[in-house]
Amino acid sequence: MKIAIVTGAAQGIGRRTAEVLAEAEYALALMDRQSCAGVLKAIRDAGGEAEEFVGDICDEAHVARVAEAVKSKWGRVDVLVNNAGISCIEPAETMGVEKFRQVLEVNLVAPFVLAREFGKLMLAQGEGSVVNVASIAGLVGVSDRSAYNSSKHGLVGLTRTLAGEWGGRGVRVNAVCPGWVKTEMDAADQAKSVYTDEDITGRIPMARFAQPEDVARAILFLADPKQSGFVNGHALAVDGGWTSDGSWQSLREQKRSRA
């Protein structure tokens, strides 16, 4: 049996990733600060196996307890998906240090601790895959997101470092870098009136938001050694072409209108 850990599994990208992994016959350890009852029921009703572990991923003791529980129940771990994260939109000149640190704790330090604890199990068994959910904000700068961008750039750096350290011992470490995704986090950010759907779709060559399904399928690809067994240290943009397109807006719109 293949075992996968997914953080932030209660909703959004994390929930869909858990469901996709369950469809691929992984047993799931679902981690979140809130109950994962919905996705837990969906997986079990479909004949899958899953357990939930409610708690704060910033608490090292909680992460260690979950790692021990997974080892005790299943004896191994094949995939860790570091998906949980928080958003933060604020101009750098008004950003408080405590808020900045909080974003780093959730988006960067906690993934490191999770990778360390579950990575030990993978290294001991000589195989495994860590997939960090970064962002295009880990590849390029986006204004008013100094804390968030810093955390995601750091997560891409952590990905590459662990890939170098662990790749020779059978553990691959990669990242997915989604563009804007239609999730609860996006809805909360848009509720602050800082951007509109048109702001995003107008910038993306494919002219739409990503869906959790898009990101979940990319995660499954990086998780599966049969599909991506020689992919290590890669940051895979799942952004509809956002980071590859240097066109100005009128040219981008002109190309869309052509038959």
Side-chain angles (χ1 to χ4, degrees), residues 103-118:
V103 175
L104 292 182
E105 282 289 330
V106 176
N107 292 1
L108 180 56
V109 178
F112 163 71
V113 173
L114 284 148
R116 184 189 68 192
E117 293 304 308
F118 288 105

Side-chain angles (χ1 to χ4, degrees), residues 6-252:
V6 180
T7 69
Q11 61 185 21
I13 293 170
R15 174 170 180 155
R16 187 58 193 140
T17 298
E19 292 169 346
V20 165
L21 288 169
E23 291 166 6
E25 300 184 343
Y26 285 83
L28 274 298
L30 309 171
M31 298 181 68
D32 207 301
R33 292 192 68 173
Q34 59 183 308
S35 172
C36 298
V39 64
L40 186 67
K41 182 177 186 301
I43 290 171
R44 289 176 173 174
D45 285 352
E49 182 175 349
E51 299 290 340
E52 71 170 344
F53 299 90
V54 177
D56 186 357
I57 60 169
C58 293
D59 179 356
E60 285 190 67
H62 170 66
V63 173
R65 286 193 297 271
V66 175
E68 185 58 36
V70 167
K71 181 180 179 182
S72 177
K73 180 175 179 60
W74 288 299
R76 63 179 292 110
V77 58
D78 297 280
V79 176
L80 166 65
V81 181
N82 271 320
N83 167 73
I86 58 174
S87 178
C88 182
I89 301 175
E90 185 172 334
E93 63 269 25
T94 62
M95 172 67 66
V97 171
E98 287 305 312
K99 184 181 291 186
F100 196 99
R101 286 176 175 154
Q102 180 190 21
V103 175
L104 292 182
E105 282 289 330
V106 176
N107 292 1
L108 180 56
V109 178
F112 163 71
V113 173
L114 284 148
R116 184 189 68 192
E117 293 304 308
F118 288 105
K120 291 175 185 177
L121 299 179
M122 294 179 185
L123 290 167
Q125 67 200 24
E127 60 182 349
S129 174
V130 178
V131 183
N132 293 319
V133 180
S135 167
I136 60 168
L139 302 175
V140 298
V142 183
S143 295
D144 294 336
R145 290 160 176 81
S146 57
Y148 186 78
N149 289 7
S150 297
S151 71
K152 294 301 186 178
H153 273 76
L155 189 56
V156 171
L158 177 64
T159 298
R160 291 168 175 160
T161 301
L162 294 181
E165 286 194 32
W166 294 350
R169 289 181 278 170
V171 179
R172 297 179 302 113
V173 185
N174 293 287
V176 291
C177 296
W180 264 257
V181 188
K182 272 299 176 187
T183 63
E184 293 83 352
M185 182 183 291
D186 169 72
D189 285 345
Q190 283 209 37
K192 301 170 187 174
S193 300
V194 292
Y195 64 88
T196 66
D197 278 5
E198 291 71 25
D199 290 329
I200 304 305
T201 58
R203 177 62 182 79
I204 299 172
M206 292 184 69
R208 70 171 177 87
F209 277 74
Q211 296 297 324
E213 178 81 8
D214 297 311
V215 185
R217 292 293 170 184
I219 291 170
L220 176 62
F221 166 73
L222 291 173
D224 186 354
K226 291 183 180 179
Q227 299 185 66
S228 60
F230 203 58
V231 180
N232 187 37
H234 185 62
L236 176 61
V238 186
D239 65 353
W242 180 302
T243 53
S244 68
D245 185 12
S247 304
W248 53 92
Q249 188 61 21
S250 62
L251 178 59
R252 189 178 295 115

